[in-house]
Amino acid sequence: GQNIDQPTEMTATEGAIVQINCTYQTSGFNGLFWYQQHAGEAPTFLSYNVLDGLEEKGRFSSFLSRSKGYSYLLLKELQMKDSASYLCAPMDSNYQLIWGAGTKLIIKP
Amino acid sequence: GAVVSQHPSRVICKSGTSVKIECRSLDFQATTMFWYRQFPKKSLMLMATSNEGSKATYEQGVEKDKFLINHASLTLSTLTVTSAHPEDSSFYICSARGTGAQETQYFGPGTRLLVL
């Protein structure tokens, strides 16, 4: 079967760094997306990894290891507005995104 | 990123009526559009995938006669919830993807449906 494993909830302090881990199992693999979803809103695209390694985009970076079925999202210089759910979504062999419940990130002052 | 609009953003209707939700890609051609439903604190649930000019592919358990999807152009898809009931109350979100299968899905802002 296909599944995604992310922590349900994480707490971090404003200004700090947090790493959100994601392990996945899919039927085939065509890359992995990270989305941010604020409460009551639709998801917004953060990053896409298809090759192994780290992709950096401003305060956010995403890492992928295809052999381990593992990815993480790294958020630096945390701001209060970063409080949201973060969704790890691998794409399977049919180019369908597989969705889990995501990780709710709580930022404290 | 690309812009996807959705209308209306919020709708309240009486049980038994039909509701149409529009999803538009504003600055790119969306070969494929997706319709999702999300209940509070739950993960996104894909309802159907639609390709422009062809019939939508519905996920298991989603009634195609109840959730009518039309993707008549490369920039517009509509979802009609027919004979809505209170249990259909949910957050409906569309997303759109360009011509490449590995392209990013961009989401509309969602439509919150409340059926009384």
Side-chain angles (χ1 to χ4, degrees):
Chain A
Q2 308 199 98
N3 73 283
I4 297 164
D5 192 21
Q6 288 179 248
T8 304
E9 187 174 296
M10 298 180 70
T11 302
T13 306
E14 191 177 15
I17 298 173
V18 71
Q19 178 173 311
I20 302 174
N21 295 323
C22 169
T23 57
Y24 60 89
Q25 287 180 305
T26 55
S27 302
F29 181 74
N30 280 298
L32 185 143
F33 292 80
W34 282 94
Y35 284 84
Q36 179 191 60
Q37 186 175 25
H38 284 100
E41 297 181 9
T44 56
F45 168 72
L46 289 178
S47 67
Y48 172 60
N49 294 65
V50 66
L51 300 176
D52 288 350
L54 187 69
E55 294 274 347
E56 296 186 72
K57 194 187 286 187
R59 293 190 298 116
F60 293 5
S61 303
S62 56
F63 172 84
L64 175 68
S65 168
R66 289 171 298 173
S67 62
K68 294 181 180 177
Y70 168 70
S71 174
Y72 68 72
L73 182 69
L74 189 72
L75 294 79
K76 303 176 186 175
E77 301 169 19
L78 286 170
Q79 301 175 10
M80 297 302 292
K81 66 179 182 179
D82 298 330
S83 292
S85 287
Y86 291 86
L87 311 175
C88 161
M91 180 178 274
D92 69 10
S93 58
N94 292 321
Y95 300 98
Q96 273 215 9
L97 291 180
I98 310 302
W99 299 95
T103 297
K104 182 179 180 180
L105 177 64
I106 300 168
I107 309 298
K108 294 186 174 179
Chain B
V3 180
V4 177
S5 71
Q6 207 172 322
H7 177 80
S9 59
R10 189 180 297 265
V11 59
I12 301 173
C13 69
K14 292 182 179 179
S15 187
T17 60
S18 294
V19 175
K20 180 187 278 190
I21 303 170
E22 289 188 352
C23 178
R24 293 180 185 272
S25 58
L26 298 184
D27 54 358
F28 69 104
Q29 293 188 323
T31 307
T32 306
M33 285 186 169
F34 304 85
W35 287 95
Y36 293 87
R37 183 165 55 180
Q38 188 175 34
F39 293 105
K41 299 184 180 180
K42 299 294 184 183
S43 61
L44 288 167
M45 189 193 81
L46 180 65
M47 299 174 67
T49 302
S50 74
N51 291 297
E52 184 265 339
S54 60
K55 288 184 179 179
T57 302
Y58 289 81
E59 295 300 302
Q60 196 170 9
V62 179
E63 300 173 57
K64 62 181 180 181
D65 294 330
K66 179 168 181 63
F67 299 100
L68 301 177
I69 292 171
N70 183 277
H71 191 167
S73 77
L74 284 172
T75 59
L76 173 65
S77 176
T78 60
L79 166 69
T80 302
V81 183
T82 62
S83 187
H85 288 99
E87 57 265 30
D88 298 324
S89 299
S90 187
F91 190 39
Y92 291 85
I93 317 172
C94 74
S95 70
R97 187 180 70 196
T99 52
Q102 282 175 285
E103 287 190 33
T104 300
Q105 281 187 37
Y106 291 98
F107 285 85
T111 296
R112 201 161 296 282
L113 172 64
L114 176 61
V115 184
L116 302 176

